Structure formats: C-alpha cells, structure tokens
Amino acid sequence: MLKRAGETIDPAGAVVAIKDAAWPAPFASELEFNSPAHGTWNIVHTGMRVPGARQIYVCAGNCMRGVVLTAAEMNEADRFSFVIVEEENLLNGNLEDVTIDGVADVIEKLDERPKAVLLFTVCLHHFLGCDLERVYTELASRFPDIVFVRCYMDPIMQKNGLTPDQKLRKAMYDPLPCVPEEKINNKAVSLLGSDFALDETSDLARILEINGYVLRELPKCSTWKEYLNLAESRLFISCYPSGRYGAEEQAGRLGRKHLYLPACFGYEEIMKQMDTLMETLRGLSADREAVCGGGVTQPLDVDAEIASCEAALADALSEIGDMPVAIDGTFHPRPLGLARLLISHGFSVTTVYLDGISPEEKDDFEWLKVHAPELVLSATIQVKMRVLPRHGEREVLAIGQKAAWFTGSRHFVNVVQGGGLYGFDGIRRLAGLMVDAVHEEKDAEDLVIRKGWGCESCI
C-alpha cells in the first residue's frame, strides 16, 4: 500500500473496540495482507503427519513454489513430489492424462513405494471440470498396493463451505480400515484431527489413564501400522475445531461413537466436557465390563483442579502485574475465551488479534462487550495492518506469534494452534508460559518466520 510521507493512517476498518464490533465478522472481507508470522501449520505440515505416506501435488509452477518450500524448510523434501501443469495441458484438454501419467511417473521412479499417496489436485482441476473419478480409479488400478488419498489445494474454496484444511483433516484418515467387532479395543480412544498431541498431563489424557484407557493420537504414530491402529479404538474424540468434521465423518463411516470436546478456558465448559466424557465412557463400558476389566469410576477432583488453576493465575498475576497483554487467534482457537479468563482474573488484556469470531465464542464475545467494552479487536489480514504502528509506549506480553509481531514484543508465548494445551491443566501450563515469557526475551523477527511451529526447520 502506498502512502504519502507523514500521512497518518486511519485505523478504521482494521481496529475496533469490542463494544462496537459486529459478530461474527468484525472486519469486512477485502484485499488481504499477509504478515511474516508463519508459525501456523498449512496443508503440507498437516499431511506429513501420516507416516509412510508421500505427498504429490499437481499444479502450475507459480502455485507450486510455496508447498515445495514448505516441504524443504521442514526437512521432509524426501516425502514430497510434484507434477507441473503447463499451459498446453489446459489448451489440449488432457489434464486427466497429465495428472495420471505424471503421478505414475513419480511413483515408478521412487526407490521405495509409499504406503499411501496424498494426491493434491488444485483449482485448475475444478475450473476445467477434470474427471477426478477417472484419475483415482486409473491410479488405483495401476498401483493396487498404494492407497490414494483425495486431497485438495484449492484456495478458491477457502471461504465457501469446507476449507481445504477441513477437507484434508478428513481425507488423511480415509485409509483407516473397517475393523471387525471382535478386533475393536474397548479400552482404547483415538484422538483425530489435531496437529499436536495433547500434553500427557492434560485433563483428557489423565482421565483416560486413570480409568485404564489407551489414548491413540496421529502425532504419536511413527509407523503405518500404528496409524492403522487408530481404527481399532472404540471411541473417537476431536478437540481441534478444523478436525471436527473429519472425525465425525470417520466415526460415521467406521461405526464409532464420536465426541467433540474442544479445548477451552471456561471452568464450566471444561466441567461439562469432563462430565460428557465420563458419561460416555460409562455407557460404552456398561455392557463390556467383563472385557474391560471393570467400569469407569474415576473422574478428576474438580474442586482441586479449579483451586490449582486459581493459584497458578494468581502467581502469574503477581509476576506480570499491569503489563499490557495482547492475544492472537493463531495461539489458540478460543482467543476471546482466553481474554475473558485473564481479564476476570485481573490481567490487563488490551488487544485481541483476530479476523473472525468462532460461533463457539459467542458467549465470551457478549461477556467481553459488557465487562471489557474497550478491549480492542484488531485484524491481522486487513491491508492497513501493513502500515499501522507496531510498537506502543510500553512493552507488551504477547500470547501468540502474530501478537508478538504486530506489537513488536520480545516477551511472548511462542505457541500455535493450542500446542497441546487442554482443560484445567492447559490453564495452569499457560500461566507458567506467560511468566516465562515475561522473564525471557525472544527474537520475534527470527522465530515467527519459521513455518510450522513444532516442526524441524532448516531456516
């Protein structure tokens, strides 16, 4: 964006007090700005979670650059291939043949066959009406030993219906097999749709362990066999919003019970989710106690959990004091819920960086309008954010990478997408991370440009 020297940029349209904000879209959908904070995962990072699989993208050269660099930056280029679509392929109407022959050529040149191929078709396939059924049928016929997973890199669908991220988090579990009833493990639970494994101390993990259940998670799978074993669990759970659709679809396909228990920051919601989990486990084990080795009787001590959270937050407040706090939506899917928790415990939360508000946060939004009306909501992709001032008069405690970049803070919690934080335990761990951030400086300019927080980076 060009501007005259000395001209002040009007923040209207990019910044709004929550008392004046519209729900669920406080900012108009217009030309977008992309900040250099790239710690969130994209479809390349997420797809790499499937062990033994190879990603193959079929796309034009200009769009291929980003995904190629992502694979290289995370040191996974040896599990990534691509097929370049040329202009003549579009004019000659043979996109199906180019896709089939290109993918086949890639596979035939590999030293070792992958267990699965995550085949990403793109916007061009939609524009030209490519016969994808023919593509997948032919590839399956040529390579019956490989599972071809239908994936999409179609940003044209980003804001209409299911996003590419949601579709991928469903597709990457499509190879899970239908398991005979006698092989289903009644004491196993599979968590689907998350990039990060839950902390072992998380509420959900502790409840399952106390009651003798095994928790299976894709991020912990290192072999194809371990991946397939996800299908043998009696119960499927999803915690990450973008993974909910896929987990529900897989539960329906495989005949499993599914629970959506999203990570959150409200004590009442956490307790309700705990009750739902316990009730479900009791129901699933009621007719199988002989197989399971006993019923489900051990929940967590809620009063002790809340008291521990209150103590952790009080300790954090004594360290942080009135230091301004900024939160962003890349840190956690519930940024407003986090703002509500912190404000209600005396923290000076001044800004929340987000571009839209999840329906799951309607109650938090309404609470904040009443109890923190001057709380600032700031866009991250609105074009004015490129030139609006990034440094305030005081150092800010930033929770999330984009909050760190937009505020110029060197004191920030470097986590994306929840990072495995969950429940009462997640609140306590967050309080500790906030204290650590106050006492330790980080080089935001270096850290936030690294794609895929938690992945190995060659940058």
Side-chain angles (χ1 to χ4, degrees):
M1 175 187 291
L2 298 177
K3 68 184 185 72
R4 295 176 181 173
E7 182 180 348
T8 300
I9 300 298
D10 182 358
V15 177
V16 63
I18 197 167
K19 66 180 180 181
D20 301 318
W23 183 91
F27 308 108
S29 179
E30 299 172 335
L31 183 65
E32 297 181 358
F33 160 66
N34 186 19
S35 79
H38 296 309
T40 52
W41 285 37
N42 62 34
I43 55 178
V44 179
H45 300 106
T46 299
M48 290 295 183
R49 279 302 194 194
V50 181
R54 186 176 198 86
Q55 297 186 43
I56 301 179
Y57 285 70
V58 183
C59 190
N62 61 323
C63 296
M64 195 69 72
R65 179 178 180 273
V67 288
V68 170
L69 287 176
T70 296
E73 288 164 357
M74 65 185 298
N75 288 320
E76 291 283 8
D78 59 340
R79 297 178 56 203
F80 183 96
S81 299
F82 57 89
V83 177
I84 296 292
V85 176
E86 304 287 354
E87 183 177 2
E88 63 185 74
N89 305 134
L90 310 183
L91 298 175
N92 295 335
N94 65 337
L95 187 54
E96 290 87 356
D97 294 329
V98 169
T99 302
I100 294 168
D101 294 339
V103 172
D105 183 59
V106 167
I107 294 173
E108 289 166 353
K109 290 178 179 177
L110 295 176
D111 294 331
E112 183 178 354
R113 291 281 179 88
K115 297 293 186 181
V117 166
L118 276 62
L119 176 56
F120 286 81
T121 53
V122 298
C123 306
L124 288 173
H125 292 84
H126 294 297
F127 289 147
L128 298 179
C130 179
D131 187 351
L132 293 179
E133 286 298 325
R134 179 195 161 201
V135 169
Y136 284 99
T137 299
E138 177 66 23
L139 287 172
S141 175
R142 293 193 192 186
F143 305 100
D145 57 323
I146 297 175
V147 178
F148 288 90
V149 183
R150 303 188 181 203
C151 303
Y152 304 92
M153 184 175 70
D154 50 356
I156 59 169
M157 303 299 290
Q158 189 71 40
K159 297 182 180 180
N160 294 278
L162 296 171
T163 66
D165 184 44
Q166 287 176 299
K167 288 185 283 189
L168 174 60
R169 292 177 194 274
K170 182 264 182 186
M172 61 196 295
Y173 295 100
D174 283 345
L176 295 182
C178 293
V179 178
E181 177 66 24
E182 62 272 15
K183 288 190 176 182
I184 296 177
N185 187 340
N186 295 312
K187 297 291 283 187
V189 173
S190 289
L191 181 68
L192 307 184
S194 298
D195 291 322
F196 301 99
L198 291 181
D199 290 338
E200 294 183 359
T201 54
S202 69
D203 301 1
L204 196 155
R206 285 183 293 149
I207 288 175
L208 294 176
E209 182 180 17
I210 289 170
N211 289 283
Y213 281 77
V214 174
L215 176 60
R216 294 169 170 161
E217 303 175 81
L218 180 56
K220 292 185 177 179
C221 294
S222 58
T223 67
W224 181 249
K225 184 176 185 301
E226 289 177 343
Y227 163 78
L228 294 180
N229 285 344
L230 292 170
E232 296 181 1
S233 297
R234 175 64 66 182
L235 174 65
F236 289 172
I237 294 177
S238 59
C239 297
Y240 190 60
S242 294
R244 179 179 183 176
Y245 161 74
E248 289 177 339
E249 290 294 303
Q250 299 303 342
R253 178 175 69 87
L254 299 176
R256 300 291 191 278
K257 174 74 173 179
H258 169 259
L259 292 181
Y260 177 56
L261 304 174
C264 59
F265 296 101
Y267 291 159
E268 289 188 6
E269 186 175 0
I270 293 173
M271 287 188 289
K272 288 180 181 178
Q273 292 184 2
M274 190 183 302
D275 290 342
T276 298
L277 175 61
M278 293 301 299
E279 181 181 353
T280 300
L281 295 179
R282 292 189 185 103
L284 291 175
S285 66
D287 299 327
R288 305 182 181 90
E289 291 190 5
V291 176
C292 297
V296 177
T297 59
Q298 297 294 327
L300 300 179
D301 184 337
V302 172
D303 291 338
E305 294 289 329
I306 293 177
S308 181
C309 288
E310 291 290 294
L313 290 168
D315 289 343
L317 182 61
S318 68
E319 295 282 339
I320 297 168
D322 66 350
M323 184 177 187
V325 178
I327 302 168
D328 82 65
T330 66
F331 167 78
H332 195 279
R334 297 284 190 92
L336 295 183
L338 175 54
R340 176 178 178 176
L341 173 75
L342 295 181
I343 289 172
S344 66
H345 284 81
F347 292 86
S348 181
V349 181
T350 60
T351 309
V352 178
Y353 291 90
L354 49 71
D355 297 295
I357 303 170
S358 165
E360 296 177 8
E361 295 213 279
K362 180 64 181 295
D363 289 343
D364 297 317
F365 176 76
E366 296 296 342
W367 187 93
L368 290 167
K369 284 176 77 77
V370 174
H371 295 89
E374 300 304 323
L375 175 69
V376 173
L377 301 185
S378 180
T380 70
I381 60 175
Q382 214 276 351
V383 291
K384 290 182 180 180
M385 296 304 295
R386 179 176 179 270
V387 292
L388 286 174
R390 289 177 46 216
H391 297 265
E393 296 180 358
R394 297 183 60 189
E395 183 71 18
V396 172
L397 171 58
I399 302 179
Q401 291 190 348
K402 286 194 174 182
W405 190 82
F406 281 115
T407 61
S409 176
R410 299 179 68 85
H411 296 274
F412 68 99
V413 179
N414 189 25
V415 171
V416 301
Q417 296 166 223
L421 301 176
Y422 189 87
F424 294 123
D425 178 73
I427 292 174
R428 291 189 293 268
R429 291 175 67 83
L430 172 61
L433 291 173
M434 291 170 63
V435 171
D436 291 343
V438 168
H439 294 298
E440 300 175 7
E441 289 192 353
K442 298 183 179 71
D443 186 351
E445 298 293 339
D446 173 66
L447 290 175
V448 304
I449 64 171
R450 300 172 184 264
K451 286 185 180 179
W453 177 88
C455 294
E456 182 179 348
S457 175
C458 67
I459 298 178

